Amino acid sequence: ITFQTGPGVDFSAPYVIYSSINSNTPAVPTNSTFTLVFSKPLDRNTVSNSPGYFSIYDNSTGWTTPTVTVSADGLTVTYVPSPALTPSTSYTLYAQYAADLDGNAATNFSVGFTTAAGAVTTPPTVITTTPANTATGAPLNALIEAQFSAAVSGTTLSQITLMNSGTPVPFTVSLVTGDSDR
């Protein structure tokens, strides 16, 4: 490999730039998954679902151990609780004690939330796209976006396909915000 060094040493800490949940999110469905996006790639060896690290705390019974995955680019961490969260319960989601690829400690993150009385069983639907549905003359390099009616999980992105007259077209899919804004 070949590479060129930058102007200096990197001492900047990674931090959460987006969370699919915040303390103002009302009545979180019990079957929710959670996504955090970091400002720079994390060293996946420092992301642990051990209690108090990348984990979820049930304020009534203690630590839960979700399945925690890190995206290929190291920027996105997804939490999948198993079993589902308990209805009408207060929780705290933690992202602590990770580091980036340069060894810089990430800024610790936590957010409290309360679950709804149950799960959401209605799947999200596409409410708008760019380019618009049935548009003509779209540029060959157009950024294709879909806005959903509800939050989507980063773990389900492999279900999205791009077709040209019934033939699959290779592409890279990414979750921009993880909420109903995209």
Side-chain angles (χ1 to χ4, degrees), residues 91-169:
Y91 288 91
T92 305
L93 180 136
Y94 288 92
Q96 300 186 128
Y97 311 116
D100 66 14
L101 298 171
D102 297 316
N104 299 310
T107 302
N108 290 338
F109 175 86
S110 66
V111 61
F113 63 94
T114 301
T115 53
V120 170
T121 57
T122 306
T125 58
V126 175
I127 57 174
T128 187
T129 63
T130 303
N133 189 28
T134 70
T136 59
L140 294 175
N141 64 341
L143 179 62
I144 301 168
E145 295 180 312
Q147 181 180 10
F148 292 89
S149 60
V152 296
S153 169
T155 61
T156 62
L157 296 180
S158 63
Q159 298 175 38
I160 297 173
T161 58
L162 179 62
M163 306 291 278
N164 179 10
S165 300
T167 303
V169 177

Side-chain angles (χ1 to χ4, degrees), residues 26-182:
V28 174
T30 58
N31 60 337
S32 293
T33 61
F34 305 100
T35 304
L36 300 178
V37 178
F38 284 81
S39 60
K40 54 197 286 199
L42 297 179
D43 177 348
R44 67 185 59 252
N45 294 319
T46 65
V47 177
S48 167
N49 70 342
S50 296
Y53 288 73
F54 281 72
S55 53
I56 300 172
Y57 186 78
D58 178 326
N59 294 340
S60 299
T61 61
W63 294 106
T64 67
T65 308
T67 299
V68 177
T69 57
V70 182
S71 64
D73 64 6
L75 293 171
T76 304
V77 176
T78 302
Y79 299 67
V80 180
S82 180
L85 301 173
T86 305
S88 305
T89 302
S90 295
Y91 288 91
T92 305
L93 180 136
Y94 288 92
Q96 300 186 128
Y97 311 116
D100 66 14
L101 298 171
D102 297 316
N104 299 310
T107 302
N108 290 338
F109 175 86
S110 66
V111 61
F113 63 94
T114 301
T115 53
V120 170
T121 57
T122 306
T125 58
V126 175
I127 57 174
T128 187
T129 63
T130 303
N133 189 28
T134 70
T136 59
L140 294 175
N141 64 341
L143 179 62
I144 301 168
E145 295 180 312
Q147 181 180 10
F148 292 89
S149 60
V152 296
S153 169
T155 61
T156 62
L157 296 180
S158 63
Q159 298 175 38
I160 297 173
T161 58
L162 179 62
M163 306 291 278
N164 179 10
S165 300
T167 303
V169 177
F171 72 106
T172 302
V173 64
S174 63
L175 185 63
V176 175
T177 62
D179 62 23
S180 57
D181 292 336
R182 292 256 180 211

